[in-house]
Amino acid sequence: MDKKKIKEKLEKERDQLLEELRDMGKLNIETGEWEATPEEMSSREVDQNDMADRFEDFESRSSMIRVLEPRLNNILRALKDLNKGTFGVCEICGKEIETARLEANPAAKTCKHHLNAQV
Ligand SMILES: [Zn+2]
């Protein structure tokens, strides 16, 4: 297994996710969680329809962030594991995760056998 290649892949995915998250919200430094940012109000005279649109937009940003954030955290964890040298070990059985599986998904937490196990 080429760890350098895997690290590069993870870092690339991390940067892409960060870029997407920055488009939709900002990182709350106090909680360490990403939050959707509402669009700037350009005018004080905002009618009801406009308010509804903004709300929908904010809701869709929030739900995108809820999808992206766990993916980002997963990648950050995998990068941490790489640095600690504990990368590629199944969280359930402690055995090495199959190389093919890691190549497909470097942030995988479990071996093929424990693919559907709840961690
Ligand atoms: Zn396992």
Side-chain angles (χ1 to χ4, degrees):
M1 184 175 50
D2 189 342
K3 285 198 176 177
K4 199 172 156 245
K5 240 187 200 158
I6 285 180
K7 196 176 172 196
E8 276 169 15
K9 192 175 173 185
L10 283 166
E11 283 173 342
K12 210 169 135 200
E13 278 188 53
R14 177 197 61 191
D15 292 345
Q16 273 169 1
L17 281 168
L18 277 172
E19 213 171 287
E20 284 179 58
L21 280 163
R22 281 195 196 109
D23 274 348
M24 282 173 289
K26 61 175 170 46
L27 183 64
N28 183 325
I29 294 168
E30 279 172 39
T31 61
E33 282 175 13
W34 284 84
E35 291 170 354
T37 45
E39 248 182 292
E40 296 287 324
M41 297 276 176
S42 50
S43 156
R44 292 174 72 88
E45 290 165 56
V46 182
D47 66 39
Q48 285 299 314
N49 286 331
D50 204 25
M51 284 298 284
D53 281 351
R54 283 173 200 276
F55 184 70
E56 248 169 53
D57 188 53
F58 182 71
E59 282 294 285
S60 67
R61 283 163 184 245
S62 300
S63 53
M64 270 308 284
I65 285 176
R66 281 195 291 272
V67 172
L68 294 175
E69 195 177 17
R71 277 169 59 194
L72 176 67
N73 288 338
N74 225 11
I75 286 168
L76 292 178
R77 179 197 49 80
L79 278 168
K80 219 185 256 174
D81 285 351
L82 262 181
N83 288 334
K84 280 191 303 189
T86 53
F87 176 76
V89 174
C90 172
E91 285 193 354
I92 309 265
C93 63
K95 286 183 187 149
E96 272 183 38
I97 299 173
E98 296 80 359
T99 306
R101 183 160 152 68
L102 284 174
E103 275 167 2
N105 175 20
K109 287 186 199 173
T110 57
C111 68
K112 238 178 228 162
H113 187 65
H114 294 111
L115 188 57
N116 295 316
Q118 292 291 320
V119 180

